[in-house]
Amino acid sequence: MSTTPPVLAAELAGAWADIQRHHPELPDLAAPESLIGESSSACGHELSFERLLHEAVHGIAAARGVRDTSRAGRYHNRRFLAIAEELGLDHPEEPHPSSGFSLVTLNPEAKRRYRPTIERLQRALKAHTAATTADTARSFRGPAARHGSSGGGVRVKAVCDCGRNVRVVPSVLAQAPIVCGGCGKPFRIPEVVGAAAS
């Protein structure tokens, strides 16, 4: 199996189409490759089928004209939770103080319904992670590096020792350190990217 981002993007698009078969009002995914290499602290998930289903909740909320978040998209409200439950996502009783009901997980029925899709996407994510981890041991080989751009490409989370984080294109961070104003230490991209959860 190829490990190039277009193949992973195709798997993401296929998984999205599977969700659309069960929820026809879900809009098309405009740019699946925009999810590659990006985690969302508000969503609390690395890229996985669970994260994709979470994003589908936002897509359906948009299609319905429902405001499902507040605080600049960080706090996921009860309207988000209601749609998440329709899509097969569960959440503990109490909301998180800063992100609300964002930390949703697949319920057993959704795991059964989407099992083949989840397995295909996990294989593609593992292959992609293995390929990009091997490459990043030497240098970043993402879109910005390949095209000689200093600002294009997928932004990833870089962290500092005090826990603050920023979104940055890895090739930009490779040009020179970005120093945290809080602790004075440089931001870094974590070495290990989380694997998809079942």
Side-chain angles (χ1 to χ4, degrees), residues 158-176:
V159 297
C160 70
D161 289 344
C162 70
R164 297 178 72 210
N165 66 71
V166 295
R167 298 270 176 199
V168 63
V169 176
S171 62
V172 172
L173 191 59
Q175 292 172 10

Side-chain angles (χ1 to χ4, degrees), residues 37-143:
E38 179 184 328
S39 67
S40 169
S41 57
C43 297
H45 297 294
E46 295 293 342
L47 185 55
S48 65
F49 184 79
E50 198 166 74
R51 163 86 189 285
L52 201 61
L53 205 55
H54 177 121
E55 296 300 332
V57 173
H58 291 304
I60 289 177
R64 293 178 182 175
V66 171
R67 187 165 182 234
D68 63 342
T69 63
S70 59
R71 301 181 198 165
R74 288 186 305 275
Y75 192 87
H76 293 58
N77 60 34
R78 290 192 183 276
R79 291 181 291 273
F80 171 86
L81 181 57
I83 298 170
E85 288 171 348
E86 289 178 39
L87 270 69
L89 293 166
D90 287 334
H91 190 279
E93 284 295 314
E94 295 300 316
H96 185 276
S98 63
S99 61
F101 295 99
S102 68
L103 302 176
V104 288
T105 56
L106 283 167
N107 69 28
E109 181 184 335
K111 284 181 182 178
R112 281 191 299 276
R113 177 187 311 137
Y114 294 112
R115 182 172 306 284
T117 302
I118 291 168
E119 290 171 354
R120 277 194 315 274
L121 185 58
Q122 280 181 323
R123 283 192 300 272
L125 284 165
K126 284 179 184 174
H128 176 74
T129 298
T132 56
T133 300
D135 282 350
T136 56
R138 293 188 321 255
S139 64
F140 179 68
R141 305 291 298 161

